[in-house]
Amino acid sequence: MGRFYSDTLEEGVRLIYFQADPALFPQGVKLVEQAVVAGEPDAYYYLARCYAWEDGNVEGDERKAKELYKKGIALGSDLCVLGADRMGALNEEMKTVMVRSLRESYDAVLKMAEAGDPMAQYTVGLFYFWGDMLFRFQKPSKEEFDRCEKENAQVALKWFCRSAEQGCIPAFRNAFNGMRGGINSIPKDPKEALRWAESVKDKVDMRDYYYSMVVEYQRLKDYGNANRWCRVGMEVGDSSCIVSLGLVYLEGDKGLPMDEKEALRLFGLAAENGNEYGYYNMGRCYYNGWGCAQDYRQAVEYFKKARDLGHTTADMFLARCYYYGRGVQQDQLTAFRLAKALRDKEQDYPREILGLCYLNGIGTMPDYALARSLFEQAGTGYYASCIGLGDIYSKGLGVEEDIQKAVSYYENAASRGNAEASERMKQFKKTIFGKWKRR
């Protein structure tokens, strides 16, 4: 940069596209607006992008973006021509104010890119990445289409990488995500994506991608590097990285020894930052007594805070708390409503709690077949499933009575210390022939 823009516009572009602190975006937008007022043609491109794609956290306004592109085109901005084309706004009306053809404008932006302007490099990359080059100029035959598309993907990637090496964050995003996910014919290669990202980590502000690095390394089971990036994220207060490292300590199977107290501490840090996953995992710790004394009241408070921030999975635990009266006044009707709402939204839900509600007619008419299905889906790892299935077969609810099967379910839970299952077992005794029968 520096050769093509005024100092005002250059600083505005830097604050919007070359650093990741949202607090500085308004200042960047303001500087771009000043450059527009001063009549700088390419300033219209950057301000139009803000309204078209919400760059700089500007609220989208398609009409305003088109107006800005049109004014910039009339002033001779080649970037505006390509920007309007990318937005699908280069209609006949827009073309009437063009001082150059689309091809001429592309060639002019390409010269800027070849001269080293990172935003022009990013723009050229977009022209190849999204098929504008393919459909506007190349127009290959059906037989040549796939080859041409793949070649264009490599050209796009080249320009994104060159731009990112100068610190352009959106260019980094497209290159990194393109390689890690195989987007738009870029070959999918997560290892190469990570290798390349590591090579530019000191050139581009990657704060918004620290957690993405963690996720990709974890997928590759490269836990040493995953945990390294967790700590990099922790240094700037990235709550996703903090929670991720907390889960590593909680589970103890991703390169670090289990340490429930350290996990609790990390979840607490994320919660202090207002992170929903921090609250949710604090709730899980207090609910289960991980790294702390079991405290259902505290668990409920954290689950509610997580839910208020949109973490619907917290309702799974809240349903259990309301059903059994753990940390709150027992309210089985609320438990049913929470569990059913999750199921209706096709989200994960506490099947064993919903099964108990359908078995006992809580909030709904009894439905023994559905209850049995829910218990079986939940699995016998839940005491409620064992007791529910035991009751169904013991009483012949929607099935033939089967004392042997009922007792096997009760025994499963009782052997793990469940008092309710042990109490159910008192109804039965074993005959000298090894069969169970009612007392």
Side-chain angles (χ1 to χ4, degrees), residues 280-320:
Y280 170 70
N281 282 293
M282 285 293 284
R284 289 207 306 150
C285 285
Y286 278 103
Y287 186 90
N288 294 291
W290 295 334
C292 57
Q294 191 175 55
D295 187 333
Y296 289 131
R297 183 188 61 79
Q298 280 271 62
V300 167
E301 289 182 9
Y302 282 117
F303 286 138
K304 285 183 175 179
K305 288 178 180 178
R307 181 183 61 185
D308 289 344
L309 291 171
H311 197 94
T312 53
T313 309
D315 281 347
M316 286 185 61
F317 285 92
L318 286 171
R320 292 169 179 140

Tab-separated table of all heavy atoms in Angstrom, residues 280-320:
chain	number	residue	atom	x	y	z
A	280	TYR	N	-21.568	-22.821	30.846
A	280	TYR	CA	-22.109	-24.176	30.694
A	280	TYR	C	-21.199	-25.211	31.347
A	280	TYR	O	-21.665	-26.092	32.091
A	280	TYR	CB	-22.293	-24.483	29.210
A	280	TYR	CG	-22.630	-25.923	28.906
A	280	TYR	CD1	-23.860	-26.452	29.249
A	280	TYR	CD2	-21.707	-26.747	28.274
A	280	TYR	CE1	-24.177	-27.777	28.969
A	280	TYR	CE2	-22.011	-28.066	27.982
A	280	TYR	CZ	-23.250	-28.580	28.332
A	280	TYR	OH	-23.545	-29.894	28.052
A	281	ASN	N	-19.911	-25.097	31.099
A	281	ASN	CA	-18.996	-26.082	31.662
A	281	ASN	C	-18.768	-25.881	33.154
A	281	ASN	O	-18.509	-26.853	33.873
A	281	ASN	CB	-17.671	-26.056	30.891
A	281	ASN	CG	-17.777	-26.775	29.563
A	281	ASN	OD1	-17.946	-27.996	29.523
A	281	ASN	ND2	-17.718	-26.034	28.466
A	282	MET	N	-18.887	-24.663	33.642
A	282	MET	CA	-18.890	-24.459	35.095
A	282	MET	C	-20.083	-25.187	35.698
A	282	MET	O	-19.982	-25.841	36.750
A	282	MET	CB	-18.964	-22.966	35.425
A	282	MET	CG	-17.673	-22.201	35.198
A	282	MET	SD	-16.344	-22.677	36.336
A	282	MET	CE	-16.894	-21.844	37.828
A	283	GLY	N	-21.230	-25.085	35.029
A	283	GLY	CA	-22.418	-25.799	35.488
A	283	GLY	C	-22.190	-27.296	35.528
A	283	GLY	O	-22.551	-27.976	36.494
A	284	ARG	N	-21.572	-27.838	34.482
A	284	ARG	CA	-21.294	-29.278	34.446
A	284	ARG	C	-20.381	-29.700	35.592
A	284	ARG	O	-20.573	-30.762	36.190
A	284	ARG	CB	-20.653	-29.657	33.110
A	284	ARG	CG	-21.600	-29.607	31.935
A	284	ARG	CD	-21.154	-30.559	30.839
A	284	ARG	NE	-19.772	-30.325	30.434
A	284	ARG	CZ	-18.963	-31.271	29.979
A	284	ARG	NH1	-19.376	-32.525	29.901
A	284	ARG	NH2	-17.730	-30.981	29.601
A	285	CYS	N	-19.389	-28.870	35.878
A	285	CYS	CA	-18.451	-29.200	36.958
A	285	CYS	C	-19.171	-29.244	38.307
A	285	CYS	O	-18.998	-30.191	39.085
A	285	CYS	CB	-17.306	-28.190	36.997
A	285	CYS	SG	-16.093	-28.406	35.667
A	286	TYR	N	-19.987	-28.237	38.589
A	286	TYR	CA	-20.694	-28.222	39.868
A	286	TYR	C	-21.775	-29.296	39.929
A	286	TYR	O	-22.069	-29.848	40.985
A	286	TYR	CB	-21.286	-26.830	40.141
A	286	TYR	CG	-20.261	-25.876	40.710
A	286	TYR	CD1	-19.668	-24.901	39.922
A	286	TYR	CD2	-19.874	-25.963	42.049
A	286	TYR	CE1	-18.715	-24.036	40.444
A	286	TYR	CE2	-18.927	-25.100	42.582
A	286	TYR	CZ	-18.345	-24.145	41.766
A	286	TYR	OH	-17.403	-23.305	42.291
A	287	TYR	N	-22.358	-29.609	38.804
A	287	TYR	CA	-23.394	-30.654	38.753
A	287	TYR	C	-22.796	-32.019	39.084
A	287	TYR	O	-23.392	-32.831	39.795
A	287	TYR	CB	-24.023	-30.673	37.364
A	287	TYR	CG	-25.208	-31.605	37.213
A	287	TYR	CD1	-26.498	-31.159	37.467
A	287	TYR	CD2	-25.034	-32.924	36.791
A	287	TYR	CE1	-27.594	-32.003	37.313
A	287	TYR	CE2	-26.117	-33.774	36.643
A	287	TYR	CZ	-27.395	-33.309	36.905
A	287	TYR	OH	-28.467	-34.160	36.762
A	288	ASN	N	-21.587	-32.269	38.561
A	288	ASN	CA	-20.964	-33.584	38.722
A	288	ASN	C	-19.902	-33.645	39.823
A	288	ASN	O	-19.397	-34.722	40.127
A	288	ASN	CB	-20.323	-34.010	37.397
A	288	ASN	CG	-21.343	-34.253	36.306
A	288	ASN	OD1	-22.108	-35.207	36.367
A	288	ASN	ND2	-21.361	-33.386	35.305
A	289	GLY	N	-19.552	-32.471	40.378
A	289	GLY	CA	-18.503	-32.458	41.396
A	289	GLY	C	-17.118	-32.636	40.805
A	289	GLY	O	-16.254	-33.275	41.403
A	290	TRP	N	-16.883	-32.061	39.634
A	290	TRP	CA	-15.571	-32.153	38.985
A	290	TRP	C	-14.709	-30.969	39.418
A	290	TRP	O	-15.015	-29.820	39.106
A	290	TRP	CB	-15.707	-32.127	37.468
A	290	TRP	CG	-16.437	-33.304	36.895
A	290	TRP	CD1	-16.552	-34.552	37.433
A	290	TRP	CD2	-17.155	-33.341	35.647
A	290	TRP	NE1	-17.296	-35.366	36.622
A	290	TRP	CE2	-17.671	-34.649	35.504
A	290	TRP	CE3	-17.409	-32.411	34.652
A	290	TRP	CZ2	-18.428	-35.041	34.406
A	290	TRP	CZ3	-18.149	-32.787	33.553
A	290	TRP	CH2	-18.651	-34.092	33.433
A	291	GLY	N	-13.669	-31.247	40.169
A	291	GLY	CA	-12.768	-30.185	40.607
A	291	GLY	C	-13.327	-29.334	41.719
A	291	GLY	O	-12.748	-28.306	42.078
A	292	CYS	N	-14.467	-29.737	42.264
A	292	CYS	CA	-15.130	-28.968	43.317
A	292	CYS	C	-16.127	-29.889	44.029
A	292	CYS	O	-16.385	-31.010	43.572
A	292	CYS	CB	-15.869	-27.764	42.728
A	292	CYS	SG	-17.096	-28.219	41.464
A	293	ALA	N	-16.665	-29.399	45.129
A	293	ALA	CA	-17.726	-30.152	45.792
A	293	ALA	C	-19.002	-30.045	44.954
A	293	ALA	O	-19.309	-28.980	44.406
A	293	ALA	CB	-17.970	-29.597	47.187
A	294	GLN	N	-19.722	-31.143	44.828
A	294	GLN	CA	-20.974	-31.121	44.060
A	294	GLN	C	-21.926	-30.105	44.666
A	294	GLN	O	-22.142	-30.066	45.871
A	294	GLN	CB	-21.607	-32.509	44.066
A	294	GLN	CG	-22.762	-32.662	43.098
A	294	GLN	CD	-23.273	-34.091	43.065
A	294	GLN	OE1	-23.627	-34.664	44.100
A	294	GLN	NE2	-23.288	-34.704	41.887
A	295	ASP	N	-22.475	-29.240	43.825
A	295	ASP	CA	-23.342	-28.162	44.311
A	295	ASP	C	-24.379	-27.884	43.221
A	295	ASP	O	-24.127	-27.122	42.285
A	295	ASP	CB	-22.515	-26.910	44.612
A	295	ASP	CG	-23.321	-25.801	45.281
A	295	ASP	OD1	-24.555	-25.742	45.071
A	295	ASP	OD2	-22.724	-24.984	46.001
A	296	TYR	N	-25.551	-28.499	43.366
A	296	TYR	CA	-26.578	-28.344	42.335
A	296	TYR	C	-27.087	-26.903	42.227
A	296	TYR	O	-27.425	-26.442	41.133
A	296	TYR	CB	-27.754	-29.278	42.625
A	296	TYR	CG	-27.443	-30.746	42.411
A	296	TYR	CD1	-27.760	-31.691	43.393
A	296	TYR	CD2	-26.851	-31.196	41.242
A	296	TYR	CE1	-27.488	-33.041	43.203
A	296	TYR	CE2	-26.574	-32.544	41.041
A	296	TYR	CZ	-26.885	-33.459	42.032
A	296	TYR	OH	-26.616	-34.787	41.846
A	297	ARG	N	-27.138	-26.208	43.351
A	297	ARG	CA	-27.621	-24.817	43.303
A	297	ARG	C	-26.700	-23.963	42.426
A	297	ARG	O	-27.167	-23.194	41.581
A	297	ARG	CB	-27.686	-24.248	44.722
A	297	ARG	CG	-28.250	-22.810	44.777
A	297	ARG	CD	-28.125	-22.221	46.167
A	297	ARG	NE	-26.721	-22.145	46.575
A	297	ARG	CZ	-25.882	-21.185	46.159
A	297	ARG	NH1	-26.293	-20.254	45.321
A	297	ARG	NH2	-24.639	-21.176	46.585
A	298	GLN	N	-25.382	-24.104	42.639
A	298	GLN	CA	-24.428	-23.371	41.815
A	298	GLN	C	-24.534	-23.809	40.356
A	298	GLN	O	-24.462	-22.984	39.440
A	298	GLN	CB	-22.997	-23.638	42.311
A	298	GLN	CG	-22.614	-22.822	43.529
A	298	GLN	CD	-22.022	-21.482	43.125
A	298	GLN	OE1	-22.687	-20.669	42.492
A	298	GLN	NE2	-20.776	-21.268	43.492
A	299	ALA	N	-24.702	-25.103	40.156
A	299	ALA	CA	-24.818	-25.622	38.791
A	299	ALA	C	-25.996	-24.978	38.069
A	299	ALA	O	-25.876	-24.541	36.916
A	299	ALA	CB	-24.978	-27.140	38.817
A	300	VAL	N	-27.131	-24.911	38.749
A	300	VAL	CA	-28.323	-24.313	38.138
A	300	VAL	C	-28.069	-22.857	37.761
A	300	VAL	O	-28.462	-22.398	36.676
A	300	VAL	CB	-29.533	-24.431	39.084
A	300	VAL	CG1	-30.688	-23.551	38.606
A	300	VAL	CG2	-29.989	-25.878	39.180
A	301	GLU	N	-27.402	-22.111	38.627
A	301	GLU	CA	-27.116	-20.706	38.328
A	301	GLU	C	-26.281	-20.575	37.062
A	301	GLU	O	-26.545	-19.714	36.209
A	301	GLU	CB	-26.390	-20.057	39.512
A	301	GLU	CG	-27.272	-19.833	40.734
A	301	GLU	CD	-26.516	-19.148	41.867
A	301	GLU	OE1	-25.370	-18.707	41.630
A	301	GLU	OE2	-27.065	-19.064	42.971
A	302	TYR	N	-25.263	-21.422	36.939
A	302	TYR	CA	-24.414	-21.352	35.743
A	302	TYR	C	-25.166	-21.806	34.496
A	302	TYR	O	-25.017	-21.210	33.422
A	302	TYR	CB	-23.155	-22.191	35.943
A	302	TYR	CG	-22.113	-21.508	36.792
A	302	TYR	CD1	-21.715	-22.037	38.025
A	302	TYR	CD2	-21.518	-20.321	36.361
A	302	TYR	CE1	-20.760	-21.399	38.808
A	302	TYR	CE2	-20.561	-19.682	37.143
A	302	TYR	CZ	-20.186	-20.221	38.359
A	302	TYR	OH	-19.240	-19.583	39.124
A	303	PHE	N	-25.962	-22.847	34.619
A	303	PHE	CA	-26.726	-23.312	33.457
A	303	PHE	C	-27.700	-22.228	32.980
A	303	PHE	O	-27.881	-22.028	31.779
A	303	PHE	CB	-27.489	-24.596	33.789
A	303	PHE	CG	-26.626	-25.818	33.891
A	303	PHE	CD1	-26.826	-26.748	34.911
A	303	PHE	CD2	-25.615	-26.060	32.963
A	303	PHE	CE1	-26.029	-27.879	35.004
A	303	PHE	CE2	-24.815	-27.192	33.047
A	303	PHE	CZ	-25.025	-28.101	34.078
A	304	LYS	N	-28.312	-21.530	33.915
A	304	LYS	CA	-29.249	-20.469	33.534
A	304	LYS	C	-28.526	-19.332	32.817
A	304	LYS	O	-29.037	-18.755	31.849
A	304	LYS	CB	-29.992	-19.950	34.763
A	304	LYS	CG	-31.066	-20.898	35.275
A	304	LYS	CD	-31.822	-20.294	36.447
A	304	LYS	CE	-32.973	-21.198	36.888
A	304	LYS	NZ	-33.708	-20.623	38.055
A	305	LYS	N	-27.317	-18.987	33.281
A	305	LYS	CA	-26.556	-17.933	32.619
A	305	LYS	C	-26.158	-18.363	31.207
A	305	LYS	O	-26.193	-17.554	30.272
A	305	LYS	CB	-25.320	-17.590	33.440
A	305	LYS	CG	-25.630	-16.824	34.722
A	305	LYS	CD	-24.367	-16.545	35.539
A	305	LYS	CE	-24.702	-15.775	36.802
A	305	LYS	NZ	-23.501	-15.530	37.644
A	306	ALA	N	-25.795	-19.641	31.082
A	306	ALA	CA	-25.447	-20.149	29.753
A	306	ALA	C	-26.660	-20.106	28.833
A	306	ALA	O	-26.559	-19.692	27.661
A	306	ALA	CB	-24.914	-21.579	29.869
A	307	ARG	N	-27.814	-20.514	29.351
A	307	ARG	CA	-29.032	-20.516	28.537
A	307	ARG	C	-29.396	-19.100	28.120
A	307	ARG	O	-29.816	-18.865	26.975
A	307	ARG	CB	-30.186	-21.144	29.315
A	307	ARG	CG	-31.487	-21.198	28.511
A	307	ARG	CD	-32.636	-21.745	29.319
A	307	ARG	NE	-32.921	-20.922	30.493
A	307	ARG	CZ	-33.814	-21.244	31.418
A	307	ARG	NH1	-34.484	-22.376	31.329
A	307	ARG	NH2	-34.029	-20.447	32.434
A	308	ASP	N	-29.252	-18.130	29.019
A	308	ASP	CA	-29.578	-16.741	28.697
A	308	ASP	C	-28.722	-16.212	27.557
A	308	ASP	O	-29.118	-15.274	26.856
A	308	ASP	CB	-29.396	-15.855	29.931
A	308	ASP	CG	-30.463	-16.111	30.988
A	308	ASP	OD1	-31.481	-16.734	30.658
A	308	ASP	OD2	-30.259	-15.691	32.151
A	309	LEU	N	-27.527	-16.810	27.376
A	309	LEU	CA	-26.641	-16.398	26.292
A	309	LEU	C	-26.850	-17.238	25.036
A	309	LEU	O	-26.109	-17.117	24.069
A	309	LEU	CB	-25.181	-16.497	26.751
A	309	LEU	CG	-24.755	-15.471	27.809
A	309	LEU	CD1	-23.365	-15.804	28.347
A	309	LEU	CD2	-24.762	-14.060	27.217
A	310	GLY	N	-27.872	-18.107	25.068
A	310	GLY	CA	-28.213	-18.884	23.878
A	310	GLY	C	-27.710	-20.298	23.852
A	310	GLY	O	-27.831	-20.982	22.828
A	311	HIS	N	-27.145	-20.782	24.968
A	311	HIS	CA	-26.606	-22.143	24.994
A	311	HIS	C	-27.722	-23.122	25.354
A	311	HIS	O	-27.944	-23.442	26.515
A	311	HIS	CB	-25.471	-22.234	26.017
A	311	HIS	CG	-24.614	-23.448	25.834
A	311	HIS	ND1	-23.455	-23.431	25.096
A	311	HIS	CD2	-24.759	-24.725	26.263
A	311	HIS	CE1	-22.907	-24.630	25.102
A	311	HIS	NE2	-23.684	-25.435	25.793
A	312	THR	N	-28.409	-23.623	24.346
A	312	THR	CA	-29.607	-24.438	24.584
A	312	THR	C	-29.280	-25.780	25.242
A	312	THR	O	-30.152	-26.366	25.898
A	312	THR	CB	-30.344	-24.702	23.258
A	312	THR	OG1	-29.435	-25.248	22.300
A	312	THR	CG2	-30.916	-23.404	22.700
A	313	THR	N	-28.038	-26.279	25.074
A	313	THR	CA	-27.692	-27.554	25.688
A	313	THR	C	-27.806	-27.489	27.203
A	313	THR	O	-28.007	-28.510	27.864
A	313	THR	CB	-26.263	-27.984	25.285
A	313	THR	OG1	-26.144	-27.904	23.868
A	313	THR	CG2	-25.972	-29.407	25.712
A	314	ALA	N	-27.695	-26.283	27.761
A	314	ALA	CA	-27.843	-26.127	29.202
A	314	ALA	C	-29.217	-26.602	29.660
A	314	ALA	O	-29.378	-27.066	30.802
A	314	ALA	CB	-27.629	-24.668	29.602
A	315	ASP	N	-30.209	-26.528	28.772
A	315	ASP	CA	-31.554	-26.964	29.139
A	315	ASP	C	-31.624	-28.470	29.388
A	315	ASP	O	-32.530	-28.951	30.075
A	315	ASP	CB	-32.558	-26.571	28.045
A	315	ASP	CG	-32.954	-25.103	28.135
A	315	ASP	OD1	-32.657	-24.477	29.176
A	315	ASP	OD2	-33.549	-24.589	27.177
A	316	MET	N	-30.689	-29.236	28.837
A	316	MET	CA	-30.646	-30.662	29.138
A	316	MET	C	-30.448	-30.871	30.634
A	316	MET	O	-31.135	-31.669	31.263
A	316	MET	CB	-29.502	-31.341	28.376
A	316	MET	CG	-29.748	-31.515	26.898
A	316	MET	SD	-28.416	-32.451	26.102
A	316	MET	CE	-28.525	-34.009	26.981
A	317	PHE	N	-29.482	-30.146	31.186
A	317	PHE	CA	-29.192	-30.292	32.611
A	317	PHE	C	-30.280	-29.637	33.463
A	317	PHE	O	-30.643	-30.154	34.518
A	317	PHE	CB	-27.827	-29.689	32.930
A	317	PHE	CG	-26.683	-30.541	32.483
A	317	PHE	CD1	-26.113	-30.363	31.234
A	317	PHE	CD2	-26.186	-31.549	33.298
A	317	PHE	CE1	-25.061	-31.157	30.809
A	317	PHE	CE2	-25.135	-32.354	32.888
A	317	PHE	CZ	-24.571	-32.159	31.640
A	318	LEU	N	-30.800	-28.507	32.996
A	318	LEU	CA	-31.864	-27.858	33.762
A	318	LEU	C	-33.093	-28.753	33.841
A	318	LEU	O	-33.769	-28.791	34.874
A	318	LEU	CB	-32.214	-26.507	33.124
A	318	LEU	CG	-31.170	-25.403	33.347
A	318	LEU	CD1	-31.500	-24.179	32.505
A	318	LEU	CD2	-31.097	-25.019	34.825
A	319	ALA	N	-33.393	-29.479	32.777
A	319	ALA	CA	-34.526	-30.403	32.809
A	319	ALA	C	-34.311	-31.455	33.890
A	319	ALA	O	-35.249	-31.795	34.641
A	319	ALA	CB	-34.705	-31.068	31.444
A	320	ARG	N	-33.098	-31.972	33.988
A	320	ARG	CA	-32.802	-32.962	35.037
A	320	ARG	C	-32.914	-32.344	36.419
A	320	ARG	O	-33.437	-32.972	37.348
A	320	ARG	CB	-31.399	-33.530	34.814
A	320	ARG	CG	-31.290	-34.382	33.566
A	320	ARG	CD	-29.862	-34.714	33.211
A	320	ARG	NE	-29.803	-35.548	32.009
A	320	ARG	CZ	-28.910	-35.413	31.041
A	320	ARG	NH1	-27.977	-34.480	31.124
A	320	ARG	NH2	-28.945	-36.215	29.991
